[in-house]
Amino acid sequence: MRVVQRVVCEGVSKVFGGHRALIGISTTFDAGVITLVEGPNGAGKSTLLGLVGGLTRPTAGEIRWVRDGGERLSREEVRLSIGWVGHDTMLYGDLTGRENLVLAARLLGRTTDFEALSERFGLTGILDRPVRVCSRGQRQRLALSRALLHEPS
């Protein structure tokens, strides 16, 4: 699999209608490094993450996804290299944790080792419950396991 080693943002701006969500952001994200993006409500954190994840395009500036050696990757190639958990867990409440993970794995063309996931993320006892009855922390652990089941760089 082709993996992203670095995401480079140069002068990235994003405008929604007349609202400037981001203005001239230049930064680099390296694979394998956990990065905290913080700021007040409305600062553009989610917008930046959506841009970095290839979910939307910048209004101005450039985002480059590169692997070692400087080879550039397309937006489509990027999605399998990034794992992302935002505020919304993006889990289906009427499905069980297991069903959510099976669905995500199938969409990614992967199989799921539930024993390993359960051990790694403390999912024992919640995999077979509907997500809607799980606590916020349990939903976050399910979301994290979903975000990492394809082993993103």
Side-chain angles (χ1 to χ4, degrees):
M1 172 174 47
R2 300 173 59 160
V3 297
V4 175
Q5 295 297 320
R6 175 171 284 163
V7 179
V8 179
C9 301
E10 292 181 350
V12 173
S13 296
K14 183 68 176 179
V15 177
F16 297 100
H19 176 71
R20 298 181 302 179
L22 292 175
I23 302 169
I25 300 295
S26 294
T27 190
T28 300
F29 300 97
D30 290 313
V33 176
I34 296 172
T35 303
L36 171 69
V37 179
E38 66 177 334
N41 289 343
K45 302 176 298 289
S46 295
T47 299
L48 176 62
L49 293 175
L51 289 163
V52 167
L55 302 176
T56 186
R57 297 176 189 272
T59 305
E62 180 183 31
I63 298 176
R64 290 190 318 274
W65 300 277
V66 295
R67 32 178 311 163
D68 282 342
E71 178 185 3
R72 290 178 73 157
L73 299 167
S74 70
R75 179 181 313 280
E76 293 74 29
E77 292 173 302
V78 167
R79 294 195 184 189
L80 288 178
S81 296
I82 294 177
W84 176 22
V85 176
H87 178 74
D88 185 347
T89 61
M90 307 209 26
L91 298 167
Y92 294 97
D94 289 336
L95 298 180
T96 66
R98 184 182 310 273
E99 290 167 334
N100 272 279
L101 294 175
V102 166
L103 174 61
R106 285 183 181 164
L107 290 171
L108 293 165
R110 299 289 181 129
T111 58
T112 308
D113 180 350
F114 289 106
E115 187 173 313
L117 282 176
S118 185
E119 186 175 309
R120 182 174 180 194
F121 295 103
L123 303 177
T124 303
I126 66 171
L127 280 176
D128 296 313
R129 283 190 210 161
V131 168
R132 65 180 148 66
V133 301
C134 293
S135 71
R136 174 73 179 162
Q138 291 169 333
R139 290 192 308 266
Q140 285 295 98
R141 289 198 309 272
L142 283 165
L144 182 59
S145 65
R146 188 210 57 243
L148 298 178
L149 62 81
H150 64 292
E151 300 175 1
S153 59

